[in-house]
Amino acid sequence: ALEAAGNPAKAEASYRLALEIPPEVPLAHYLLGTLLARSGKRQEAAEHIALYQRAFDKEQENRFRSGARQAEVNLGWTRLKEKHFEEAVAQFRRWPDDVEALRGAAQALSELGRHGEAVEALERALLLDPDNRPLRYALDRERERNARK
């Protein structure tokens, strides 16, 4: 808005201020970079545009990984529903730090009678999400099954 109002110096100061406030806002690099480029400060502009590009690329990679993770976890649930328990376990174990995948692995392991491993998966899930009551309930049930074995 400051730049559009004809005050590029104040706009530049505002963008620089935005970059000092954690967490750093990647868009501020882009806006400052384009402003600096229009002001003839091409070297500094290129540096800020490059910082913006790296942040943008990282965000896109994170979105891709998140989508891939969810697709693979969903495949695990599909295998579980089809009663392909070993395949489900293998699929879920690809994501050892994902609460949903650990819960799915525990369920598949339980179906296979591998209650001790199911308990371990649920304990790991609770370390990641200690306030998750359904997980705690599932862990208690699985411990009972393991004790009966």
Side-chain angles (χ1 to χ4, degrees):
L2 290 169
E3 186 178 359
N7 199 334
K10 279 191 177 179
E12 181 179 339
S14 294
Y15 297 147
R16 290 183 189 281
L17 181 61
L19 292 171
E20 292 176 13
I21 302 169
E24 193 173 278
V25 180
L27 182 59
H29 281 295
Y30 174 79
L31 294 171
L32 179 57
T34 56
L35 174 69
L36 292 170
R38 283 191 295 276
S39 302
K41 300 175 183 174
R42 300 209 183 281
Q43 179 62 36
E44 190 179 1
E47 292 168 9
H48 283 281
I49 296 293
L51 288 169
Y52 166 76
Q53 187 63 51
R54 280 196 295 276
F56 177 82
D57 291 345
K58 185 177 179 181
E59 180 182 333
Q60 293 304 306
E61 177 67 21
N62 288 340
R63 285 184 182 180
F64 174 78
R65 286 182 192 214
S66 177
R69 180 202 55 81
Q70 190 59 54
E72 289 193 23
V73 170
N74 288 345
L75 181 58
W77 286 111
T78 300
R79 294 291 180 247
L80 183 65
K81 287 177 186 171
E82 294 170 343
K83 300 191 184 309
H84 297 285
F85 303 123
E86 289 289 352
E87 290 177 30
V89 170
Q91 192 65 37
F92 288 129
R93 283 192 168 161
R94 295 179 64 151
W95 300 95
D97 293 326
D98 182 277
V99 172
E100 185 181 354
L102 288 163
R103 186 173 63 83
Q107 190 172 334
L109 289 162
S110 184
E111 292 288 344
L112 291 166
R114 293 160 53 185
H115 302 292
E117 290 177 72
V119 166
E120 290 173 9
L122 290 167
E123 287 173 342
R124 173 81 178 128
L126 275 170
L127 285 174
L128 298 169
D129 188 4
D131 297 326
N132 189 319
R133 285 187 172 182
L135 273 180
R136 190 163 304 283
Y137 176 74
L139 176 58
D140 290 342
R141 283 192 9 228
E142 203 56 47
R143 283 180 174 152
E144 289 172 11
R145 287 186 192 112
N146 194 40
R148 283 187 249 139
K149 194 170 98 152

